[in-house]
Structure formats: C-alpha cells, structure tokens
Amino acid sequence: MSAETPLDQALQVINIGLEVFARELEAEGVAVVHVDWQPPAGGADVAALLARLDGD
Amino acid sequence: MTIRGAVWRSFYQDSMALMRLAAELRECPGVRQAAALMGTPANHRLIADAGLARPELEGAAAGDLMLAVEASDEQAAEEALAAARRFFEERRRERETAGRASPRTLASALRELPGANLAVVSVPGPHVKLEALGALRHGLHVFVFSDNVPLEDEIELKGFAASRRLLCMGPDCGTAYLGGVGLGFANVVPRGRIGCVAAAGTGLQAVASHLAALGEGISHAIGVGGRDLSEPVGGRMTRLALELLASDPATRVIVLISKPPAPSVMAELDVVISAIAKPVVVCCLGASPAAGHAVATLEDAAGAAVALARGSPWRPRAFSDPVAARARLSSLPGASPRGDHLLGLYTGGTLAHEARLLLEPHLGPIATESVGAERAGHRILDLGADQFTQGRPHPMLDPSERAARVREAGQRADVGVLLVDLVLGRAVHPDPARALAAAVSGARADAAAAGRSLVVVGSVVGTTGDPQDLDAQRAVLESAGILVFPSNAQASRFAASLVEPEASKILLGADS
C-alpha cells in the first residue's frame, strides 16, 4: 500500500496480539502473519530504551 | 474449601486464551471459582477482590501467568492446575499440527510477509507504542485495537503517522473496513458507496449494519479511536480519513460518526467538511455541527446517507412502526409493581452514549459510573470502558461480566427497566445472545419471585451475513422475554416511555 493511496491496495497484514484477528482475516482470504507476541523483559520502558539504542 | 495458586514465569497469554482457560477450570469437578490472569497490578487486585489471594502469587509480574483455584479439597484444586497444564499442551500441539510456527517479532514477521501494508495491534496498552511505532517506521498503516494506551503515546503515534501520511487507526479502534476487509469487530456487510470515518467503534458497527439492512454497502470505513476528536489529539486522523474518502472514487457519501468532539476540534472539522464536494452526514452524538447533514442517532445516520446516495426524500422517525410500539406498551402487565429506575448495561460504548442522550431529556440526569451502583437512580454503564476491561477481554468477547450484572439487577427493587444491546460480527463471541438471555430469564424470575416485574428492552447490532445468525440471536433474546427493537435509538425511546408516562405521550402519542 503506497502512502498516497492507502484505500486501494490489497491488504497484507501483520497481526500482533489477539490471535482471533489473524484467524478472521485468514478466513476472509487476506494474507496475514501472526506474531507470537511476548512482553519484553524489563517492561515497556526498558524495551523502548533498547529500541532507541538499536535505532529501530 | 481450599485455595491453590501457581505462577508460571515469563508465560504471556492473551486475554482470550486466559478467558477460555478460566472457563475450562471452572468446569473441573469440585472447582468453585478459578482465575487465570497475567500478573499486572490491576489483576493482582482482581484476584484479591475475588478472595483468591495466595502468598505464592505475590511476586508475579506482568509477564507471569497467575493461576488461582478455589475448590472443594486439595485434590480437586490440584487436578484443576493439572488441567491448565494440559490446556496449554493441547494448544501447543494444535499449533504444531497446523504448521503455525509464528514469528516472535515484527521484524521477523516482515521477512515472512515483505509486502505487508497494515499492522493490527492488540497487545496490552502500555506496550502499544513500541509495536505500533515500529510498524509505522516500516511504512505500515496501523489498526490499534488495544485500549488503556496512554494519551501521550496516542499523540506521538498519530503525529508520526500523519507526518508520513500513514493511517493510525486507534488506539481503542474497535472496527474498520478497508477495501471490503473488516478489521476488529466487523459485521459482514456488502461493499458499496458509503464511506465512513468513525471515532466510535460500535457506532460504526451500528451504522454499517443499518446500511446493509437498507440495501447499501461500505466503500471504506476508517476507524480513528474514541479520543481522536479530543482537544489534545486534535482530530488528526479524522482529518486525514475525511481527506482520503473525499478523493476516493468509490465513495459517494461520507458519514462521520463520533461522540461529541471538543468544541475547538468540531469548529476545525466544520471547515474541513464544508470544503468537501461530496455529501457528508455528521453524526457527532450530542454535538451540533455547523457543516454537513447533521443527524441525532446512528440509525438516522444510515437513513440520511442512503437517502443522499439515492437522491430520495428522508425524515427521522421516533419508531419505524409506532403502532406496534404502542401495542407493546399497552400489552405489558400492569399488575406487578415495578421499580422506578432504569439500568442500562451495554457492551457497546457508542450505543450506551446514544441511549443516555436520548433518555436524559425525558428522565433527567443519568449516571454513567458503576461507583455507588447501590445508590438508586437511572444509570447506564458501558462495560467496554477501560475501567471494566483491565485484565479481561472486552464484553463483546466475554459476555460473563454483563450477565452477572443482569442477574444482580433482578435482585434490586429499585430497577424496573433494563436496557441492553447485543453486538454481533466477526471476532465477536460466537453466541452472545445465549448468555444474555439466560441472565435475563434468571433476573426476571428473581424479580417475579419477589413480587416485582422487570421489563427488559434491547436491540441487536448485526447483519444477515454475520456468523452468529442475526435472526436466531434475536429469537433467543425474544424467547427470554426481551423486547427487541430495530435500533438502539428505538429501544431507548421505548425504555423512556416505560419509565416516564410523559415520554410515552411525546414519543408514542400513547395515553399512559
């Protein structure tokens, strides 16, 4: 999906969180990859700091 | 009775999995109550409130799973904990059999799906910023279902997204439709020529369902999250969404759906809307927009949009079938005394808000907080609000919290009218009517045993395409004695007529 026309491209989805949303999208024929998300060790604050250090 | 607790370190499970596990544990022989929750501070309080606190649970952190079981004896408790181990073992085996070895990070997911253009994010609120920002940085639009996201995180995410002309739908975005694909809680609706921008998740579901019933479909519906039109967020995503739909060739009519925007944001939106060449229906429940076609209810938003798309006349009506509504009112038994007060128990936040707006002119101020619920007075609760969803799934996924409150209402002499919603759609509970109907039957029986009557009024948000089967769900509610109306607005007006005779004269032209 180019940033100029977000409404007209076929969706390809990364699902982060509740798995039910990935399964529903699959059932609709949408390409989807589900992320088996786990909370970062040390909590959100430490993870944000590490992400900044990584330049992510 | 004995209580046993166990902590599984670094074993995060989402709220849906935990809801299913807790339900299975409660079915184990000898188990009186069971909890399966991550070790957040809010969940520690829930465990304590349930009387399940145990020393072994005390050190559990947010990434640790807490299990607590109250059972008839040690052996029953031990067997329930063993059942929990089997539950996760089975899930692991199922995934292996289905070949679902999921990546653990966004970066590795992007390697699997390099053409990804949207991230759907439903992790716990404090973790949303990191995941959503990562997705935006990779050029993905994001749909953030999670609530309990700090306001400053939302401002940062939307500022970053807007600078790259990316959509940041949410936080707390329940529903969206992009190119015919429903995201989050989405009713099955046809594609069509009506485009929506919604800062109100169940509001969008209701409008989309009414549109489908009227034979029209959705081009795109962009959810923006309930806080987008607040002063600090400033309507950033609403403006971008309106702009996109204004230039979208598939969209003939635009509908904006929200609770009342901040006055300064409403003034800015008036300017944006008046510059759009297409008709714009403005359903900002409780606000008075200066631009566009203003409507007062979700049902009217759909009716006005259809009329504008078809070039046909339309006017709002209090009841689609006033004769039938009057007949219903007069057929209610007057023999048993009824409490004076109305209690609304909602799973949809926009629907709760709409009900309050319609009822207050007739009934006076209506409380919306559960604090002090024992105090008499009219009250409408949105059980999907942040205060009720910490550590538990949304009530559209888990009907148990609402069912418990319906049962309580049957015990209360001051409550005479119960007002409810039922929301269907993809990703919603597969059979929400059953839990609600069972609770209503029980509550009405309790009231009758105490020599009182409890009238229950409601409406269903859904379409004939929804997986739950709209007609069957409605029939289940009606079999429990719930008076089901075609819309939340009509149900609310009927409830007002039940509580206040003057309202029945105004709304129905009824004699009493």
Side-chain angles (χ1 to χ4, degrees):
Chain A
M1 179 183 295
S2 79
E4 285 73 33
T5 56
L7 302 181
D8 296 321
Q9 308 271 318
L11 287 186
Q12 295 191 46
V13 178
I14 308 281
N15 184 62
I16 312 170
L18 296 174
E19 197 175 352
V20 62
F21 293 138
R23 302 287 90 88
E24 292 289 349
L25 287 166
E26 274 175 359
E28 286 196 71
V30 176
V32 55
V33 169
H34 175 67
V35 174
D36 183 15
W37 184 84
Q38 294 283 318
D45 294 344
V46 173
L49 183 66
L50 290 174
R52 270 208 299 280
L53 292 174
D54 288 347
D56 186 8
Chain B
M1 280 292 164
T2 183
I3 299 174
R4 287 287 308 276
V7 174
W8 297 3
R9 303 281 169 199
S10 300
F11 196 76
Y12 175 79
Q13 298 293 316
D14 70 49
S15 55
M16 292 277 292
L18 296 177
M19 175 183 77
R20 279 199 294 272
L21 171 60
E24 280 201 17
L25 295 185
R26 281 192 283 270
E27 295 297 313
C28 289
V31 171
R32 194 169 153 265
Q33 57 169 336
L37 295 164
M38 302 310 299
T40 61
N43 288 343
H44 278 283
R45 282 195 295 277
L46 283 177
I47 293 253
D49 290 348
L52 292 171
R54 292 283 301 165
E56 57 265 34
L57 299 176
E58 275 167 15
D64 302 333
L65 172 63
M66 301 189 290
L67 296 171
V69 175
E70 181 180 0
S72 52
D73 53 47
E74 280 290 327
Q75 195 192 343
E78 200 51 55
E79 279 170 11
L81 293 177
R85 284 189 286 276
R86 284 197 301 278
F87 175 88
F88 288 114
E89 188 58 32
E90 274 167 32
R91 276 170 62 89
R92 192 180 61 77
R93 265 203 302 273
E94 268 172 31
R95 279 197 189 160
E96 282 174 4
T97 312
R100 282 185 190 143
S102 296
R104 303 294 286 262
T105 64
L106 173 67
S108 47
L110 282 166
R111 280 193 289 277
E112 274 187 40
L113 194 65
N117 47 29
L118 174 74
V120 172
V121 179
S122 55
V123 301
H127 297 285
V128 160
K129 186 174 101 176
L130 189 63
E131 302 300 335
L133 208 48
L136 290 167
R137 283 188 177 131
H138 282 97
L140 277 67
H141 303 282
V142 296
F143 173 92
V144 180
F145 179 83
S146 319
D147 57 7
N148 289 301
V149 175
L151 180 62
E152 57 272 24
D153 291 1
E154 176 168 354
I155 293 168
E156 187 178 339
L157 287 171
K158 286 183 169 171
F160 185 83
S163 73
R164 306 217 173 171
R165 288 187 61 77
L166 291 168
L167 288 170
C168 179
M169 295 177 275
D172 201 9
C173 186
T175 304
Y177 296 88
L178 293 182
V181 174
L183 301 171
F185 297 143
N187 299 93
V188 178
V189 299
R191 284 204 77 178
R193 52 188 172 170
I194 315 285
C196 298
V197 180
T202 43
L204 172 55
Q205 285 192 264
V207 171
S209 298
H210 285 304
L211 286 172
L214 293 168
E216 293 286 340
I218 297 278
S219 53
H220 309 280
I222 302 169
V224 295
R227 290 190 305 215
D228 194 67
L229 298 174
S230 66
E231 185 95 47
V233 185
R236 241 180 162 147
M237 279 300 130
T238 302
R239 287 202 302 270
L240 176 58
L242 285 170
E243 199 185 305
L244 290 169
L245 291 178
S247 58
D248 170 46
T251 301
R252 185 83 61 84
V253 176
I254 299 171
V255 184
L256 172 63
I257 308 153
S258 76
K259 293 179 187 174
S264 63
V265 179
M266 186 80 253
E268 284 174 24
L269 284 180
D270 283 335
V271 175
V272 172
I273 289 166
S274 53
I276 294 174
K278 298 173 183 180
V280 182
V281 175
V282 185
C283 180
C284 294
L285 297 164
S288 304
H293 302 262
V295 294
T297 70
L298 300 162
E299 183 180 26
D300 290 351
V306 169
L308 287 163
R310 294 176 182 170
S312 54
W314 172 85
R315 64 180 175 81
R317 289 179 302 174
F319 288 95
S320 46
D321 188 347
V323 176
R326 273 196 293 274
R328 269 184 161 176
L329 190 64
S330 56
S331 72
L332 290 170
S336 313
R338 206 168 61 216
D340 295 329
H341 295 125
L342 173 138
L343 175 63
L345 292 173
Y346 275 83
T347 61
T350 323
L351 301 172
H353 179 74
E354 180 184 54
R356 187 168 66 79
L357 284 177
L358 290 166
L359 286 160
E360 281 192 332
H362 301 288
L363 307 187
I366 295 174
T368 56
E369 298 297 318
S370 69
V371 182
E374 65 286 350
R375 204 178 63 232
H378 303 305
R379 191 173 297 274
I380 294 178
L381 301 183
D382 164 18
L383 298 174
D386 286 12
Q387 67 183 111
F388 298 110
T389 54
Q390 292 201 3
R392 68 166 83 229
H394 192 280
M396 287 185 212
L397 295 167
D398 177 4
S400 61
E401 169 75 10
R402 202 243 307 253
R405 287 173 182 267
V406 168
R407 285 307 301 266
E408 279 170 27
Q411 313 274 350
R412 291 179 46 176
D414 64 307
V415 175
V417 176
L418 202 55
L419 182 59
V420 295
D421 62 349
L422 190 79
V423 183
L424 311 180
R426 288 184 188 271
V428 174
H429 190 277
D431 183 10
R434 185 156 59 154
L436 177 58
V440 164
S441 296
R444 295 185 78 220
D446 288 345
R452 289 181 274 112
S453 74
L454 177 67
V455 181
V456 187
V457 182
S459 63
V460 182
V461 172
T463 71
T464 52
D466 284 338
Q468 293 90 351
D469 190 339
L470 173 63
D471 290 339
Q473 291 282 298
R474 197 184 279 137
V476 168
L477 297 188
E478 285 174 339
S479 69
I482 301 174
L483 303 172
V484 181
F485 282 81
S487 71
N488 181 54
Q490 295 189 40
S492 302
R493 293 185 187 111
F494 190 80
S497 302
L498 282 167
V499 175
E500 178 52 64
E502 280 302 311
S504 69
K505 286 182 200 161
I506 296 165
L507 295 167
L508 279 164
D511 293 334
S512 60

